[in-house]
């Protein structure tokens, strides 16, 4: 990774008693904008676009396409995502290019004859694939708010796919771990293995079919994906493997412009993604519940602060299971859920010295009227800001490459509730609001978020991590606003998570001190469990506005890069 000459290292030291083994994380500084993503190559694409005079939207779209090449575990053409944009003039908009259930989908499509969920049908089969939205969404965003041509912004991704790039250790390990799952799909093995053996660090990954697909999109726009050769290959893959997506699904797919969900927190404006993501609603609900309490005085990582945040999370995630789904199909009570008075009432039974039981927490009610993703943050020198989270759902999605396209297919259908109160891959529960219906978008937790104050952007953030996306985003915001941390510390500091069910607090290794764990246990908290998966909770690649310019921080839990133009 190479920072550009204008960028220089900034804030080197993070001293925390919770993470003694961490290498000092670094944010980078830039005067003319900033890009932070999980992939250094993709960040370079975004920074180059800014350097050429493109705005943050051009950079986000070019980077989105590049991530499909350089970070195929989550970057995608055949997945979906959400983009929250705040233009320099204060206009806020959100693009929803979430996948949809195919027309042939049925409510009980993942259940056997006895009504039980068939293991892995919604995650590792052709039936797991939702109708992709990324290409329609990115092109729509570019057309409305970008300044560069489709050919220009798609050029770097196409080149990276055709010429290839050296596989780093992270990707080599990741791909090796995926091979057993991919081995039944020859088109996946042809790209993501070296003649059936794992790729090694330093090998060059060339993706010729993906380059040709990107070239068709460059030449024909939306029709290069949803019609013609790409569409035919995708539908043929579905037919061969027993999937449901047909040409009519592709013809009908459209991304949707939505009004961002907004709230306030200690004089800051919170701008985030509305349903069909649960992320923005839950984030604002959590901040509303926490606002009356002095988290700063309690102190970062204290048992008091963790107790307050966990109790808020328990209540908000219970509401998620009952009330959140695609608002085009279910009356999601968004206004009620983000109302400060509702938060007060919801938290009225909170006890400062005693944990509640998740079994006692029921979803709130209203009067009748009423796990691999990736996040990238962008800002340009004019102050246009973009928070972008995109996904195939699990790492490398369904693991299925649609033969001849080079594209990995998502397994987003698992984000629906296959059966009421039955956990999905992230342990999340859902009911009627998130039941499967043709054309419906599955509920997400993605939380691309922009924080502003006094009419100016302060922070752009978000994260992958399934159900932990929302609590990761919450913690970055609380670290900045309550604990006064700089961006390096706010992103690097250890995290914890609670999601109502299961009734457990997971925390990063060394993330809670033994004293804190002891006090939480004494208050009755259950299932305090060190997080054992991957490198930590979340991957919050974030950007912050400073008086002198911009700070960018790639989450130090994973490789990635923040780069200035
Ligand atoms: N697939 C993860 C999410 O959308 O929440």
């Amino acid at each position: 990774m190479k920072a550009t000459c204008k960028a220089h290292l900034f804030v080197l030291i993070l001293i925390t008693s919770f993470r003694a083994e961490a290498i000092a994380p670094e944010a980078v500084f830039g005067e003319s904008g900033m890009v932070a993503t999980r992939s250094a190559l993709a960040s370079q694409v975004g920074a180059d676009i800014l350097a050429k005079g493109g705005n943050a939207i051009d950079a986000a779209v070019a980077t989105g396409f590049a991530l499909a090449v350089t970070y195929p575990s989550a970057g995608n053409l055949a997945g979906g995502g959400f983009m929250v944009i705040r233009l320099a003039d204060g206009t806020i908009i959100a693009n929803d290019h979430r996948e949809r259930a195919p027309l042939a989908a049925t409510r009980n499509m993942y259940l056997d004859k006895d009504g039980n969920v068939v293991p892995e049908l919604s995650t590792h089969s052709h039936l797991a694939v939702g109708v992709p939205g990324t290409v329609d969404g990115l092109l729509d965003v570019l057309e409305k708010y970008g300044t560069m041509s489709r050919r220009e912004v798609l050029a770097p991704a196409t080149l990276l796919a055709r010429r290839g790039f050296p596989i780093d250790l992270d990707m080599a390990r990741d791909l090796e771990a995926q091979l057993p799952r991919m081995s039944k799909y020859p088109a996946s093995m042809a790209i993501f293995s070296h003649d059936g053996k794992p790729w090694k660090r330093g090998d060059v990954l060339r993706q010729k079919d993906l380059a040709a697909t990107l070239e068709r999109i460059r030449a024909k726009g939306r029709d290069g994906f949803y019609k013609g050769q790409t569409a035919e290959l995708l539908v043929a893959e579905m037919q061969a493997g027993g999937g449901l997506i047909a040409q009519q699904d592709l013809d009908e797919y459209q991304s949707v412009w939505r009004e961002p969900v907004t709230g306030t927190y200690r004089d800051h404006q919170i701008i985030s993604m509305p349903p069909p993501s649960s992320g923005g609603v839950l984030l604002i609900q959590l901040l509303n519940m926490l606002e009356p309490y002095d988290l700063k005085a309690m102190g970062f990582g204290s048992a008091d602060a963790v107790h307050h945040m966990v109790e808020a999370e328990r209540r908000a995630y219970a509401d998620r299971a009952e009330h959140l789904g695609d608002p085009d199909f279910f009356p999601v009570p968004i206004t009620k859920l983000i109302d400060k008075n509702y938060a007060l009432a919801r938290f009225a039974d909170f006890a400062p010295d005693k944990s509640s039981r998740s079994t006692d927490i029921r979803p709130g009610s209203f009067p009748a009227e009423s796990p691999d993703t990736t996040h990238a943050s962008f800002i340009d020198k004019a102050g246009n800001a973009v928070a972008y989270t995109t996904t195939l759902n699990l790492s490398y999605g369904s693991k299925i490459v649609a033969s001849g396209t080079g594209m990995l297919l998502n397994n987003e259908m698992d984000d629906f509730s296959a059966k009421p109160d039955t956990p999905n891959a992230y342990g999340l529960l859902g009911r009627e609001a998130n039941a499967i219906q043709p054309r419906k978008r599955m509920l997400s937790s993605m939380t691309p978020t922009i924080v502003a104050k006094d009419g100016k952007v302060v922070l752009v953030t978000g994260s992958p991590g399934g159900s932990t996306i929302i609590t990761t985003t919450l913690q970055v915001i609380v670290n900045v606003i309550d604990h006064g941390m700089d961006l390096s510390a706010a992103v690097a500091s250890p995290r914890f998570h609670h999601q109502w069910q299961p009734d457990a607090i997971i925390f990063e290794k060394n993330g809670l001190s033994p004293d804190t764990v002891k006090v939480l246990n004494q208050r009755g908290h259950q299932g305090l469990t060190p997080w054992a998966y991957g490198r930590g909770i979340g991957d919050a690649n974030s950007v912050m506005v400073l008086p002198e310019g911009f700070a960018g921080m790639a989450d130090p839990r994973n490789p990635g890069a923040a780069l200035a133009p």
Side-chain angles (χ1 to χ4, degrees), residues 98 373 391 393 412 415 426 444-446 466 469:
R98 182 70 161 167
T373 300
T391 189
N393 192 23
E412 217 73 62
D415 273 350
Y426 302 110
S444 172
S445 298
M446 291 191 275
I469 291 173

Side-chain angles (χ1 to χ4, degrees), residues 4 15 76 89 95 100 108 118 169 259 279 294 328 346 411 416 437 442 448 459 473 505 509 522 541 565:
T4 58
I15 299 169
N76 65 82
D89 68 3
N95 185 271
R100 301 195 328 182
N108 295 331
V118 179
L169 188 60
E259 197 181 321
D294 192 348
D328 299 339
R346 194 82 179 91
N411 58 355
F416 276 119
Q437 269 180 265
M442 55 297 283
L459 176 71
T473 309
I505 301 174
K509 189 171 166 238
Q522 283 164 353
N541 305 305

Side-chain angles (χ1 to χ4, degrees), residues 52-383:
K52 278 189 199 159
N55 67 12
I57 291 91
D58 298 315
V61 172
T63 305
F65 282 115
L67 283 165
V69 181
T70 63
Y71 187 55
S73 135
N76 65 82
L77 300 182
F82 298 118
M83 193 177 282
V84 173
I85 301 170
R86 185 185 186 279
L87 299 177
D89 68 3
T91 306
I92 53 171
I93 47 248
N95 185 271
D96 161 6
H97 44 272
R98 182 70 161 167
E99 300 93 324
R100 301 195 328 182
L103 289 162
T106 54
R107 188 185 182 102
N108 295 331
M109 61 188 277
Y110 300 118
L111 306 187
D112 65 18
K113 61 179 175 22
D114 300 319
N116 299 315
V117 175
V118 179
E120 303 209 341
L121 208 52
S122 65
T123 52
H124 295 100
S125 82
H126 285 71
L127 285 176
V129 186
V131 183
T134 296
V135 173
D136 191 62
L138 290 182
L139 294 180
D140 215 4
V141 167
L142 181 70
E143 198 173 301
K144 292 217 171 44
Y145 296 103
T147 64
M148 295 175 111
S149 70
R150 187 173 74 224
R151 296 197 77 84
E152 277 175 294
V153 298
L154 269 146
T158 312
L159 210 61
L160 278 163
R162 188 179 310 113
R163 290 199 183 152
F165 57 90
I167 292 173
D168 64 13
L169 188 60
D170 174 57
M171 188 184 250
R173 284 181 177 156
D174 217 15
L175 284 175
E176 182 167 6
Q178 297 301 333
L179 284 198
R181 285 258 186 221
M182 282 188 181
S183 59
K184 56 181 174 166
Y185 305 118
S188 307
M189 293 298 280
I191 299 164
F192 295 111
S193 78
H194 191 191
D195 295 332
K197 303 261 172 18
W199 284 112
K200 299 250 176 313
R201 185 174 75 90
D203 289 345
V204 174
L205 183 65
R206 291 189 186 85
Q207 302 176 74
K208 290 203 179 75
D209 287 344
L210 188 62
T213 299
L214 284 160
E215 201 52 82
R216 287 192 288 276
I217 298 167
R218 259 188 102 198
K220 298 184 183 147
R222 189 189 186 285
D223 287 356
F225 182 90
Y226 292 92
K227 289 191 190 304
Q229 193 178 349
T230 315
E232 282 160 21
L233 289 165
L234 179 50
V235 170
E237 179 68 43
M238 288 289 112
Q239 286 168 352
L244 298 182
I245 298 172
Q247 182 59 51
Q248 195 184 342
D249 290 297
L250 301 176
D251 290 339
E252 285 190 12
Y253 185 86
Q254 278 195 315
S255 75
V256 181
W257 289 99
R258 299 194 188 272
E259 197 181 321
V261 66
T262 58
T264 58
Y265 184 65
R266 306 197 202 289
D267 297 330
H268 290 74
Q269 187 192 17
I270 310 295
I271 305 154
S272 194
M273 193 66 212
S277 184
S278 61
V281 168
L282 258 74
L283 176 67
I284 290 168
Q285 197 183 353
L286 288 164
L287 291 169
N288 285 345
M289 283 191 259
L290 294 170
E291 197 171 40
Y293 301 92
D294 192 348
L295 296 178
K296 182 182 171 68
M298 292 174 204
F300 173 81
S302 66
D304 264 349
V306 175
H307 176 65
H308 280 72
M309 291 168 80
V310 162
E311 289 300 314
E313 288 164 10
R314 194 192 307 281
R315 287 158 178 79
Y317 277 84
D319 283 0
R320 182 191 192 279
E322 183 72 19
H323 298 297
L324 272 294
D326 183 345
D328 299 339
F329 285 76
F330 186 86
V332 181
I334 300 176
T335 317
K336 294 279 179 192
L337 287 165
I338 61 171
D339 187 303
K340 287 199 191 281
N341 287 324
Y342 173 70
L344 280 179
R346 194 82 179 91
F347 219 49
D349 61 351
F350 165 74
D353 55 351
K354 193 169 178 305
S355 151
S356 50
R357 294 268 72 78
S358 285
T359 43
D360 297 334
I361 298 287
R362 310 310 317 157
S365 61
F366 310 104
E369 77 266 16
S370 75
D372 201 358
T373 300
T374 192
H375 176 79
S377 298
F378 305 83
I379 194 156
D380 62 30
K381 63 175 184 289

